[in-house]
Amino acid sequence: MQELTPETITGAVLDQMATTSDRRMKEVMAAAVRHLHDFAREVNLTPGEWIKGIEFMTLVGKTCTPARQEFILLSDTLGLSALVNGLHDKTAIEEGTHTSLLGPFYREASPTLAPGSQIARHVKPGTECVLYGKITDVHGKPLAGATVSVWQTSADGLYDIQEDATTTDYRGVFTTDANGLFTIRTVKPRGYSIPMNGPVGSMVRAQGRHGMRPAHIHFLVGAPGYRELVTALYLRDDPHLSDDVVFGSSDDLAVDIVPDDPSCPIPGVPSIRFDLRLSREGEADKTSGRVGSDPSAILKEKAAAS
Ligand code: BEZ
Ligand code: FE
């Protein structure tokens, strides 16, 4: 038998995994092992550091609940989620509005609302704003009947489930009119800290980073025959626009709140205009999935599979 050394062990593992019948799994796992071994060799990983890593990942798993997905938060803070979104955008058959993070506060159960509805239950004075825009194809053709799901924080920077786990607030599903337009009443979102009371928060603090996300509003947009778009708008004047802790913000998704936009469908209220362009759906889009999930759906699927 060949003696295994730090130089030869990678080849031995790859040889043993060569019988994997699923071709894509074989490719992904082989690359993962190569990079993992290279990483251990590069930093000369010690046994103490190895166990610290195992303890950290164990804690990340234990922190996951139907309302919290610490592994996704880890992926987000390491820039992996934004990287996979960027790779996903490159596979679109047309270049539409770019993807941004779905985040952990998306909920599949969200109320369907009439055009112009207010998504906040209580609107504090001075915080109201109108969010409107057009959903089009990449050439600017309006898409009637597109589904526009939005969710955001209150004007205090908290999502509904952080304030009260039983109430649905600051979220809704709208449908575009014959001209591809959507109109939503809401409140100005505020920048906020990602959940810092778990292992990912400890990591972020140990790295001397702040945990802040710039103020934003999430979008999940769908229309038959078009690629699903998960994205967000970001308020341009937020001090964390260029150092988002989860690398989701970018200049092309930045918008202003305009005090008196004459084109706003609801006059006299500060407004945000955000137009989104959808790529036609390609064959690969039917199975590519999305970066992010309602945390309860992950646990539900797991329970059903076991
Ligand atoms: C969010 O935008 O909701 C979010 C994204 C990543 C991590 C935490 C929050
Ligand atoms: Fe968010």
Side-chain angles (χ1 to χ4, degrees):
M1 189 192 138
Q2 178 205 10
E3 195 197 333
L4 295 178
T5 67
E7 289 71 41
T8 62
I9 186 149
T10 307
V13 176
L14 295 180
D15 282 350
Q16 204 174 107
M17 297 192 327
T19 46
T20 308
S21 56
D22 182 320
R23 275 183 51 201
R24 179 63 177 158
M25 181 181 175
K26 183 173 170 183
E27 180 188 5
V28 170
M29 287 302 298
V33 166
R34 274 199 313 273
H35 288 280
L36 195 60
H37 286 206
D38 281 346
F39 147 73
R41 279 186 287 261
E42 181 185 322
V43 300
N44 208 2
L45 197 69
T46 68
E49 290 160 347
W50 175 86
I51 197 73
K52 210 169 167 185
I54 300 280
E55 282 164 4
F56 175 74
M57 297 297 268
T58 304
L59 212 51
V60 170
K62 283 188 173 171
T63 308
C64 294
T65 69
R68 179 162 178 171
Q69 233 304 330
E70 196 78 357
F71 271 113
I72 294 185
L73 195 60
L74 180 59
S75 164
D76 295 342
T77 51
L78 296 180
L80 180 63
S81 309
L83 169 60
V84 178
N85 274 337
L87 294 171
H88 180 62
D89 277 348
K90 285 188 178 205
T91 66
I93 59 173
E94 298 170 315
E95 186 172 2
T97 301
H98 290 165
T99 301
S100 187
L101 300 177
L102 183 89
F105 299 110
Y106 167 66
R107 292 295 173 264
E108 285 174 4
S110 194
T112 299
L113 300 172
S117 298
Q118 172 58 259
I119 61 172
R121 282 169 192 267
H122 306 288
V123 180
K124 288 191 187 158
T127 66
E128 192 177 18
C129 107
V130 173
L131 170 60
Y132 77 102
K134 202 180 236 190
I135 309 294
T136 67
D137 72 3
V138 297
H139 306 293
K141 185 186 91 181
L143 299 180
T147 303
V148 181
S149 182
V150 294
W151 64 105
Q152 64 167 86
T153 66
S154 67
D156 297 326
L158 288 171
Y159 282 91
D160 50 4
I161 49 170
Q162 294 177 300
E163 288 186 303
D164 172 359
T166 61
T167 308
T168 300
D169 212 348
Y170 318 112
R171 60 181 80 226
V173 183
F174 293 80
T175 305
T176 56
D177 69 12
N179 300 313
L181 286 168
F182 64 89
T183 307
I184 301 166
R185 283 173 200 260
T186 183
V187 292
K188 293 175 193 168
R190 192 165 141 185
Y192 61 87
S193 169
I194 60 164
M196 293 288 280
N197 60 348
V200 173
S202 304
M203 177 194 79
V204 166
R205 262 193 300 272
Q207 292 167 337
R209 300 159 68 186
H210 63 72
M212 295 299 291
R213 293 219 68 203
H216 58 274
I217 300 177
H218 294 272
F219 283 77
L220 195 160
V221 183
Y226 290 83
R227 175 187 249 228
E228 175 190 84
L229 175 63
V230 177
T231 193
L233 64 77
Y234 292 87
L235 296 191
R236 204 185 311 275
D237 63 359
D238 191 289
H240 291 297
L241 186 67
S242 57
D243 63 358
D244 182 356
V245 67
V246 292
F247 310 97
S249 57
S250 57
D251 280 342
D252 59 330
L253 299 175
V255 296
D256 298 299
I257 298 190
V258 179
D260 46 12
D261 172 3
S263 317
C264 176
I266 302 172
V269 185
S271 62
I272 298 171
R273 177 171 186 154
F274 192 52
D275 296 334
L276 299 107
R277 295 176 319 278
L278 302 192
S279 161
R280 278 177 298 123
E281 186 176 53
E283 231 0 79
D285 295 334
K286 295 185 175 129
T287 53
S288 61
R290 65 166 84 115
V291 176
S293 172
D294 177 336
S296 63
I298 294 182
L299 292 186
K300 233 186 272 158
E301 278 159 26
K302 180 76 200 12
S306 58

